[in-house]
Amino acid sequence: MQDYPTPRALETDEIPGIIADFVYAARSAVDAGLDGVEIHAANGYLVHQFLAPSSNQRTDAYGGTPENRARLAIEVVTAVSEVIGVERVGIRISPSHNIQGVVEEDAADVAATYRALVDGIAGLRIAYLSYLADPRAELTRDLRARFGGPVIGNDGFGSVTTLESAQAILDEDLADLVAVGRPVLANPDLVERWKAGAALNEPNSATFYGGDAEGYVDYPTLSATA
Ligand SMILES: Cc1cc2nc3c(=O)[nH]c(=O)nc-3n(C[C@H](O)[C@H](O)[C@H](O)COP(=O)(O)O)c2cc1C
């Protein structure tokens, strides 16, 4: 972790370079052997900062209206897809996650912004849309319908994903797949444990985002503890 610089709004003529950075990173990932990339438009990072009116106070074509605030996300997804192929690109969104100073509290504005984003990328037919949101919320369901392709669901940090909560998302047809965070981090053999109904290792939040390997590579498998 390092000290944060004081944030500033990008100049309009800097934005093509930011999009080029995403393209460069995506191409590098694929060249290095990865199957694809997920455009991180969630959790308070740069693309999300453009989506939210609390952090985006721009007066150019990338700020103001919902459509303008969705523009950067659409342009990044489009540019990355052109270079590495739509089948290798996913996107993660977290409407109203309200984290890291990126606050989306006006429900009508949130709906308009994320509908603009999803409508702007739906025609590309990228690999998937992944959400961190209430799977049962009307907006979440609407975004899934608008996207029209594979959707990965996750209901956020409020409760840790369980086999039952993941299965419920699928059974209620709220997503095509479920993203699992903390249980899979703490259990390298989570699939086997869930299949066997075995006990799980508890995730240790003190090692989250820790900057080194501790808490990422050292949880025991079932066979190691047997
Ligand atoms: C250590 C850690 C790192 C994470 N990194 C990311 C990330 O890079 N991008 C992202 O969209 N979500 C990230 N998340 C959030 C997870 O994808 C997931 O939404 C969250 O953990 C809630 O799901 P869970 O109950 O299954 O843990 C991270 C979570 C944890 C605990």
Side-chain angles (χ1 to χ4, degrees), residues 132-162:
L132 185 167
D134 175 358
R136 294 165 184 86
E138 192 185 331
L139 177 62
T140 312
R141 296 169 185 260
D142 179 56
L143 294 176
R144 181 180 182 216
R146 284 168 184 264
F147 182 67
V151 168
I152 304 176
N154 181 272
D155 63 5
F157 287 93
S159 56
V160 178
T161 302
T162 62

PDB file of all heavy atoms in Angstrom, residues 132-162:
ATOM      1  N   LEU A 132     -22.009  -7.481  -8.917  1.00  0.00           N
ATOM      2  CA  LEU A 132     -22.018  -7.516  -7.450  1.00  0.00           C
ATOM      3  C   LEU A 132     -23.189  -6.629  -7.075  1.00  0.00           C
ATOM      4  O   LEU A 132     -23.112  -5.408  -7.165  1.00  0.00           O
ATOM      5  CB  LEU A 132     -20.688  -6.975  -6.894  1.00  0.00           C
ATOM      6  CG  LEU A 132     -20.467  -7.036  -5.374  1.00  0.00           C
ATOM      7  CD1 LEU A 132     -18.995  -6.774  -5.048  1.00  0.00           C
ATOM      8  CD2 LEU A 132     -21.321  -6.036  -4.601  1.00  0.00           C
ATOM      9  N   ALA A 133     -24.294  -7.244  -6.704  1.00  0.00           N
ATOM     10  CA  ALA A 133     -25.535  -6.508  -6.451  1.00  0.00           C
ATOM     11  C   ALA A 133     -26.542  -7.469  -5.843  1.00  0.00           C
ATOM     12  O   ALA A 133     -26.287  -8.683  -5.768  1.00  0.00           O
ATOM     13  CB  ALA A 133     -26.080  -5.939  -7.769  1.00  0.00           C
ATOM     14  N   ASP A 134     -27.675  -6.934  -5.450  1.00  0.00           N
ATOM     15  CA  ASP A 134     -28.775  -7.785  -4.980  1.00  0.00           C
ATOM     16  C   ASP A 134     -29.348  -8.529  -6.190  1.00  0.00           C
ATOM     17  O   ASP A 134     -29.933  -7.897  -7.079  1.00  0.00           O
ATOM     18  CB  ASP A 134     -29.844  -6.902  -4.321  1.00  0.00           C
ATOM     19  CG  ASP A 134     -31.075  -7.701  -3.909  1.00  0.00           C
ATOM     20  OD1 ASP A 134     -31.128  -8.926  -4.160  1.00  0.00           O
ATOM     21  OD2 ASP A 134     -32.000  -7.076  -3.341  1.00  0.00           O
ATOM     22  N   PRO A 135     -29.174  -9.843  -6.246  1.00  0.00           N
ATOM     23  CA  PRO A 135     -29.636 -10.568  -7.442  1.00  0.00           C
ATOM     24  C   PRO A 135     -31.133 -10.445  -7.674  1.00  0.00           C
ATOM     25  O   PRO A 135     -31.597 -10.591  -8.804  1.00  0.00           O
ATOM     26  CB  PRO A 135     -29.269 -12.030  -7.130  1.00  0.00           C
ATOM     27  CG  PRO A 135     -28.248 -11.962  -6.050  1.00  0.00           C
ATOM     28  CD  PRO A 135     -28.573 -10.730  -5.254  1.00  0.00           C
ATOM     29  N   ARG A 136     -31.879 -10.189  -6.575  1.00  0.00           N
ATOM     30  CA  ARG A 136     -33.343 -10.158  -6.676  1.00  0.00           C
ATOM     31  C   ARG A 136     -33.877  -8.766  -6.960  1.00  0.00           C
ATOM     32  O   ARG A 136     -35.097  -8.590  -7.139  1.00  0.00           O
ATOM     33  CB  ARG A 136     -33.956 -10.735  -5.401  1.00  0.00           C
ATOM     34  CG  ARG A 136     -33.624 -12.218  -5.258  1.00  0.00           C
ATOM     35  CD  ARG A 136     -33.873 -12.807  -3.905  1.00  0.00           C
ATOM     36  NE  ARG A 136     -33.411 -14.209  -3.882  1.00  0.00           N
ATOM     37  CZ  ARG A 136     -32.149 -14.558  -3.607  1.00  0.00           C
ATOM     38  NH1 ARG A 136     -31.237 -13.651  -3.302  1.00  0.00           N
ATOM     39  NH2 ARG A 136     -31.792 -15.832  -3.651  1.00  0.00           N
ATOM     40  N   ALA A 137     -33.026  -7.756  -6.996  1.00  0.00           N
ATOM     41  CA  ALA A 137     -33.477  -6.390  -7.268  1.00  0.00           C
ATOM     42  C   ALA A 137     -33.998  -6.292  -8.702  1.00  0.00           C
ATOM     43  O   ALA A 137     -33.493  -6.946  -9.614  1.00  0.00           O
ATOM     44  CB  ALA A 137     -32.341  -5.396  -7.049  1.00  0.00           C
ATOM     45  N   GLU A 138     -35.009  -5.450  -8.857  1.00  0.00           N
ATOM     46  CA  GLU A 138     -35.613  -5.294 -10.183  1.00  0.00           C
ATOM     47  C   GLU A 138     -34.575  -4.840 -11.214  1.00  0.00           C
ATOM     48  O   GLU A 138     -34.552  -5.322 -12.349  1.00  0.00           O
ATOM     49  CB  GLU A 138     -36.756  -4.281 -10.077  1.00  0.00           C
ATOM     50  CG  GLU A 138     -37.646  -4.245 -11.288  1.00  0.00           C
ATOM     51  CD  GLU A 138     -38.686  -3.133 -11.178  1.00  0.00           C
ATOM     52  OE1 GLU A 138     -39.077  -2.776 -10.057  1.00  0.00           O
ATOM     53  OE2 GLU A 138     -39.089  -2.629 -12.234  1.00  0.00           O
ATOM     54  N   LEU A 139     -33.697  -3.891 -10.799  1.00  0.00           N
ATOM     55  CA  LEU A 139     -32.694  -3.395 -11.751  1.00  0.00           C
ATOM     56  C   LEU A 139     -31.745  -4.512 -12.177  1.00  0.00           C
ATOM     57  O   LEU A 139     -31.393  -4.623 -13.363  1.00  0.00           O
ATOM     58  CB  LEU A 139     -31.902  -2.227 -11.143  1.00  0.00           C
ATOM     59  CG  LEU A 139     -30.781  -1.687 -12.041  1.00  0.00           C
ATOM     60  CD1 LEU A 139     -31.331  -1.130 -13.353  1.00  0.00           C
ATOM     61  CD2 LEU A 139     -29.964  -0.619 -11.297  1.00  0.00           C
ATOM     62  N   THR A 140     -31.334  -5.340 -11.224  1.00  0.00           N
ATOM     63  CA  THR A 140     -30.399  -6.422 -11.557  1.00  0.00           C
ATOM     64  C   THR A 140     -31.033  -7.355 -12.596  1.00  0.00           C
ATOM     65  O   THR A 140     -30.389  -7.749 -13.581  1.00  0.00           O
ATOM     66  CB  THR A 140     -30.026  -7.213 -10.291  1.00  0.00           C
ATOM     67  OG1 THR A 140     -29.673  -6.304  -9.250  1.00  0.00           O
ATOM     68  CG2 THR A 140     -28.863  -8.151 -10.564  1.00  0.00           C
ATOM     69  N   ARG A 141     -32.296  -7.706 -12.365  1.00  0.00           N
ATOM     70  CA  ARG A 141     -33.007  -8.574 -13.320  1.00  0.00           C
ATOM     71  C   ARG A 141     -33.125  -7.903 -14.690  1.00  0.00           C
ATOM     72  O   ARG A 141     -32.970  -8.535 -15.725  1.00  0.00           O
ATOM     73  CB  ARG A 141     -34.419  -8.887 -12.812  1.00  0.00           C
ATOM     74  CG  ARG A 141     -34.475  -9.683 -11.528  1.00  0.00           C
ATOM     75  CD  ARG A 141     -35.918  -9.672 -11.026  1.00  0.00           C
ATOM     76  NE  ARG A 141     -36.088 -10.297  -9.741  1.00  0.00           N
ATOM     77  CZ  ARG A 141     -36.549 -11.535  -9.563  1.00  0.00           C
ATOM     78  NH1 ARG A 141     -36.876 -12.269 -10.598  1.00  0.00           N
ATOM     79  NH2 ARG A 141     -36.685 -12.025  -8.362  1.00  0.00           N
ATOM     80  N   ASP A 142     -33.413  -6.611 -14.655  1.00  0.00           N
ATOM     81  CA  ASP A 142     -33.574  -5.868 -15.906  1.00  0.00           C
ATOM     82  C   ASP A 142     -32.255  -5.823 -16.681  1.00  0.00           C
ATOM     83  O   ASP A 142     -32.236  -6.010 -17.903  1.00  0.00           O
ATOM     84  CB  ASP A 142     -34.073  -4.458 -15.589  1.00  0.00           C
ATOM     85  CG  ASP A 142     -34.242  -3.621 -16.840  1.00  0.00           C
ATOM     86  OD1 ASP A 142     -34.979  -4.069 -17.745  1.00  0.00           O
ATOM     87  OD2 ASP A 142     -33.621  -2.544 -16.937  1.00  0.00           O
ATOM     88  N   LEU A 143     -31.161  -5.595 -15.960  1.00  0.00           N
ATOM     89  CA  LEU A 143     -29.866  -5.522 -16.639  1.00  0.00           C
ATOM     90  C   LEU A 143     -29.511  -6.874 -17.260  1.00  0.00           C
ATOM     91  O   LEU A 143     -28.970  -6.945 -18.364  1.00  0.00           O
ATOM     92  CB  LEU A 143     -28.774  -5.067 -15.659  1.00  0.00           C
ATOM     93  CG  LEU A 143     -28.932  -3.636 -15.133  1.00  0.00           C
ATOM     94  CD1 LEU A 143     -27.852  -3.332 -14.089  1.00  0.00           C
ATOM     95  CD2 LEU A 143     -28.902  -2.603 -16.258  1.00  0.00           C
ATOM     96  N   ARG A 144     -29.850  -7.943 -16.547  1.00  0.00           N
ATOM     97  CA  ARG A 144     -29.577  -9.270 -17.112  1.00  0.00           C
ATOM     98  C   ARG A 144     -30.364  -9.465 -18.412  1.00  0.00           C
ATOM     99  O   ARG A 144     -29.827  -9.949 -19.418  1.00  0.00           O
ATOM    100  CB  ARG A 144     -29.957 -10.361 -16.114  1.00  0.00           C
ATOM    101  CG  ARG A 144     -29.669 -11.738 -16.655  1.00  0.00           C
ATOM    102  CD  ARG A 144     -30.036 -12.815 -15.669  1.00  0.00           C
ATOM    103  NE  ARG A 144     -29.703 -14.127 -16.212  1.00  0.00           N
ATOM    104  CZ  ARG A 144     -30.414 -15.217 -16.015  1.00  0.00           C
ATOM    105  NH1 ARG A 144     -31.507 -15.170 -15.265  1.00  0.00           N
ATOM    106  NH2 ARG A 144     -30.050 -16.364 -16.540  1.00  0.00           N
ATOM    107  N   ALA A 145     -31.634  -9.083 -18.399  1.00  0.00           N
ATOM    108  CA  ALA A 145     -32.466  -9.251 -19.593  1.00  0.00           C
ATOM    109  C   ALA A 145     -31.932  -8.404 -20.748  1.00  0.00           C
ATOM    110  O   ALA A 145     -31.881  -8.849 -21.895  1.00  0.00           O
ATOM    111  CB  ALA A 145     -33.909  -8.872 -19.269  1.00  0.00           C
ATOM    112  N   ARG A 146     -31.549  -7.153 -20.427  1.00  0.00           N
ATOM    113  CA  ARG A 146     -31.030  -6.283 -21.479  1.00  0.00           C
ATOM    114  C   ARG A 146     -29.728  -6.812 -22.058  1.00  0.00           C
ATOM    115  O   ARG A 146     -29.477  -6.685 -23.260  1.00  0.00           O
ATOM    116  CB  ARG A 146     -30.754  -4.884 -20.917  1.00  0.00           C
ATOM    117  CG  ARG A 146     -31.981  -4.068 -20.705  1.00  0.00           C
ATOM    118  CD  ARG A 146     -31.671  -2.833 -19.873  1.00  0.00           C
ATOM    119  NE  ARG A 146     -32.898  -2.131 -19.610  1.00  0.00           N
ATOM    120  CZ  ARG A 146     -33.355  -1.091 -20.336  1.00  0.00           C
ATOM    121  NH1 ARG A 146     -32.653  -0.622 -21.330  1.00  0.00           N
ATOM    122  NH2 ARG A 146     -34.499  -0.543 -20.046  1.00  0.00           N
ATOM    123  N   PHE A 147     -28.868  -7.375 -21.196  1.00  0.00           N
ATOM    124  CA  PHE A 147     -27.567  -7.845 -21.668  1.00  0.00           C
ATOM    125  C   PHE A 147     -27.752  -8.989 -22.658  1.00  0.00           C
ATOM    126  O   PHE A 147     -27.084  -9.042 -23.694  1.00  0.00           O
ATOM    127  CB  PHE A 147     -26.702  -8.270 -20.476  1.00  0.00           C
ATOM    128  CG  PHE A 147     -25.338  -8.731 -20.869  1.00  0.00           C
ATOM    129  CD1 PHE A 147     -24.413  -7.838 -21.400  1.00  0.00           C
ATOM    130  CD2 PHE A 147     -24.965 -10.060 -20.725  1.00  0.00           C
ATOM    131  CE1 PHE A 147     -23.147  -8.267 -21.781  1.00  0.00           C
ATOM    132  CE2 PHE A 147     -23.708 -10.494 -21.096  1.00  0.00           C
ATOM    133  CZ  PHE A 147     -22.794  -9.594 -21.626  1.00  0.00           C
ATOM    134  N   GLY A 148     -28.600  -9.938 -22.303  1.00  0.00           N
ATOM    135  CA  GLY A 148     -28.956 -10.992 -23.253  1.00  0.00           C
ATOM    136  C   GLY A 148     -27.945 -12.114 -23.404  1.00  0.00           C
ATOM    137  O   GLY A 148     -28.161 -13.047 -24.179  1.00  0.00           O
ATOM    138  N   GLY A 149     -26.817 -12.042 -22.687  1.00  0.00           N
ATOM    139  CA  GLY A 149     -25.803 -13.096 -22.747  1.00  0.00           C
ATOM    140  C   GLY A 149     -25.560 -13.657 -21.360  1.00  0.00           C
ATOM    141  O   GLY A 149     -26.313 -13.368 -20.424  1.00  0.00           O
ATOM    142  N   PRO A 150     -24.499 -14.445 -21.205  1.00  0.00           N
ATOM    143  CA  PRO A 150     -24.229 -15.062 -19.905  1.00  0.00           C
ATOM    144  C   PRO A 150     -23.988 -14.026 -18.800  1.00  0.00           C
ATOM    145  O   PRO A 150     -23.244 -13.060 -18.998  1.00  0.00           O
ATOM    146  CB  PRO A 150     -22.949 -15.875 -20.162  1.00  0.00           C
ATOM    147  CG  PRO A 150     -22.941 -16.104 -21.642  1.00  0.00           C
ATOM    148  CD  PRO A 150     -23.568 -14.888 -22.251  1.00  0.00           C
ATOM    149  N   VAL A 151     -24.634 -14.240 -17.660  1.00  0.00           N
ATOM    150  CA  VAL A 151     -24.511 -13.329 -16.522  1.00  0.00           C
ATOM    151  C   VAL A 151     -24.014 -14.112 -15.303  1.00  0.00           C
ATOM    152  O   VAL A 151     -24.515 -15.195 -14.997  1.00  0.00           O
ATOM    153  CB  VAL A 151     -25.858 -12.641 -16.226  1.00  0.00           C
ATOM    154  CG1 VAL A 151     -25.828 -11.932 -14.875  1.00  0.00           C
ATOM    155  CG2 VAL A 151     -26.195 -11.641 -17.327  1.00  0.00           C
ATOM    156  N   ILE A 152     -23.003 -13.528 -14.643  1.00  0.00           N
ATOM    157  CA  ILE A 152     -22.445 -14.101 -13.413  1.00  0.00           C
ATOM    158  C   ILE A 152     -22.935 -13.258 -12.245  1.00  0.00           C
ATOM    159  O   ILE A 152     -22.793 -12.035 -12.271  1.00  0.00           O
ATOM    160  CB  ILE A 152     -20.901 -14.090 -13.452  1.00  0.00           C
ATOM    161  CG1 ILE A 152     -20.377 -14.837 -14.687  1.00  0.00           C
ATOM    162  CG2 ILE A 152     -20.338 -14.702 -12.165  1.00  0.00           C
ATOM    163  CD1 ILE A 152     -18.861 -14.768 -14.842  1.00  0.00           C
ATOM    164  N   GLY A 153     -23.511 -13.892 -11.229  1.00  0.00           N
ATOM    165  CA  GLY A 153     -24.059 -13.149 -10.101  1.00  0.00           C
ATOM    166  C   GLY A 153     -23.217 -13.290  -8.846  1.00  0.00           C
ATOM    167  O   GLY A 153     -22.540 -14.295  -8.637  1.00  0.00           O
ATOM    168  N   ASN A 154     -23.258 -12.249  -8.031  1.00  0.00           N
ATOM    169  CA  ASN A 154     -22.657 -12.286  -6.688  1.00  0.00           C
ATOM    170  C   ASN A 154     -23.389 -11.251  -5.852  1.00  0.00           C
ATOM    171  O   ASN A 154     -23.574 -10.123  -6.298  1.00  0.00           O
ATOM    172  CB  ASN A 154     -21.148 -11.969  -6.753  1.00  0.00           C
ATOM    173  CG  ASN A 154     -20.491 -12.014  -5.378  1.00  0.00           C
ATOM    174  OD1 ASN A 154     -20.472 -11.013  -4.665  1.00  0.00           O
ATOM    175  ND2 ASN A 154     -19.968 -13.159  -4.996  1.00  0.00           N
ATOM    176  N   ASP A 155     -23.808 -11.666  -4.623  1.00  0.00           N
ATOM    177  CA  ASP A 155     -24.656 -10.748  -3.858  1.00  0.00           C
ATOM    178  C   ASP A 155     -23.881  -9.848  -2.903  1.00  0.00           C
ATOM    179  O   ASP A 155     -24.478  -9.198  -2.049  1.00  0.00           O
ATOM    180  CB  ASP A 155     -25.775 -11.512  -3.138  1.00  0.00           C
ATOM    181  CG  ASP A 155     -25.245 -12.493  -2.116  1.00  0.00           C
ATOM    182  OD1 ASP A 155     -24.027 -12.522  -1.884  1.00  0.00           O
ATOM    183  OD2 ASP A 155     -26.067 -13.235  -1.539  1.00  0.00           O
ATOM    184  N   GLY A 156     -22.574  -9.774  -3.045  1.00  0.00           N
ATOM    185  CA  GLY A 156     -21.795  -8.773  -2.333  1.00  0.00           C
ATOM    186  C   GLY A 156     -21.197  -9.264  -1.025  1.00  0.00           C
ATOM    187  O   GLY A 156     -21.214 -10.457  -0.713  1.00  0.00           O
ATOM    188  N   PHE A 157     -20.662  -8.301  -0.265  1.00  0.00           N
ATOM    189  CA  PHE A 157     -19.885  -8.625   0.929  1.00  0.00           C
ATOM    190  C   PHE A 157     -20.752  -8.831   2.177  1.00  0.00           C
ATOM    191  O   PHE A 157     -20.241  -9.261   3.204  1.00  0.00           O
ATOM    192  CB  PHE A 157     -18.870  -7.503   1.212  1.00  0.00           C
ATOM    193  CG  PHE A 157     -17.712  -7.486   0.263  1.00  0.00           C
ATOM    194  CD1 PHE A 157     -17.732  -6.702  -0.873  1.00  0.00           C
ATOM    195  CD2 PHE A 157     -16.577  -8.256   0.521  1.00  0.00           C
ATOM    196  CE1 PHE A 157     -16.654  -6.680  -1.751  1.00  0.00           C
ATOM    197  CE2 PHE A 157     -15.501  -8.242  -0.349  1.00  0.00           C
ATOM    198  CZ  PHE A 157     -15.530  -7.455  -1.490  1.00  0.00           C
ATOM    199  N   GLY A 158     -22.059  -8.498   2.111  1.00  0.00           N
ATOM    200  CA  GLY A 158     -22.899  -8.519   3.302  1.00  0.00           C
ATOM    201  C   GLY A 158     -22.958  -9.883   3.966  1.00  0.00           C
ATOM    202  O   GLY A 158     -22.938  -9.992   5.193  1.00  0.00           O
ATOM    203  N   SER A 159     -23.027 -10.939   3.182  1.00  0.00           N
ATOM    204  CA  SER A 159     -22.954 -12.299   3.724  1.00  0.00           C
ATOM    205  C   SER A 159     -22.058 -13.102   2.792  1.00  0.00           C
ATOM    206  O   SER A 159     -22.062 -12.885   1.571  1.00  0.00           O
ATOM    207  CB  SER A 159     -24.346 -12.918   3.811  1.00  0.00           C
ATOM    208  OG  SER A 159     -24.961 -12.899   2.544  1.00  0.00           O
ATOM    209  N   VAL A 160     -21.301 -14.005   3.384  1.00  0.00           N
ATOM    210  CA  VAL A 160     -20.370 -14.820   2.602  1.00  0.00           C
ATOM    211  C   VAL A 160     -21.162 -15.821   1.754  1.00  0.00           C
ATOM    212  O   VAL A 160     -22.105 -16.457   2.249  1.00  0.00           O
ATOM    213  CB  VAL A 160     -19.397 -15.564   3.543  1.00  0.00           C
ATOM    214  CG1 VAL A 160     -18.454 -16.456   2.742  1.00  0.00           C
ATOM    215  CG2 VAL A 160     -18.599 -14.568   4.383  1.00  0.00           C
ATOM    216  N   THR A 161     -20.800 -15.953   0.507  1.00  0.00           N
ATOM    217  CA  THR A 161     -21.473 -16.919  -0.370  1.00  0.00           C
ATOM    218  C   THR A 161     -21.390 -18.322   0.230  1.00  0.00           C
ATOM    219  O   THR A 161     -20.328 -18.746   0.685  1.00  0.00           O
ATOM    220  CB  THR A 161     -20.804 -16.941  -1.759  1.00  0.00           C
ATOM    221  OG1 THR A 161     -20.841 -15.630  -2.310  1.00  0.00           O
ATOM    222  CG2 THR A 161     -21.525 -17.898  -2.709  1.00  0.00           C
ATOM    223  N   THR A 162     -22.534 -19.007   0.222  1.00  0.00           N
ATOM    224  CA  THR A 162     -22.557 -20.420   0.624  1.00  0.00           C
ATOM    225  C   THR A 162     -23.019 -21.241  -0.568  1.00  0.00           C
ATOM    226  O   THR A 162     -23.550 -20.693  -1.550  1.00  0.00           O
ATOM    227  CB  THR A 162     -23.542 -20.649   1.782  1.00  0.00           C
ATOM    228  OG1 THR A 162     -24.861 -20.299   1.316  1.00  0.00           O
ATOM    229  CG2 THR A 162     -23.186 -19.809   3.002  1.00  0.00           C
TER     230      THR A 162
END
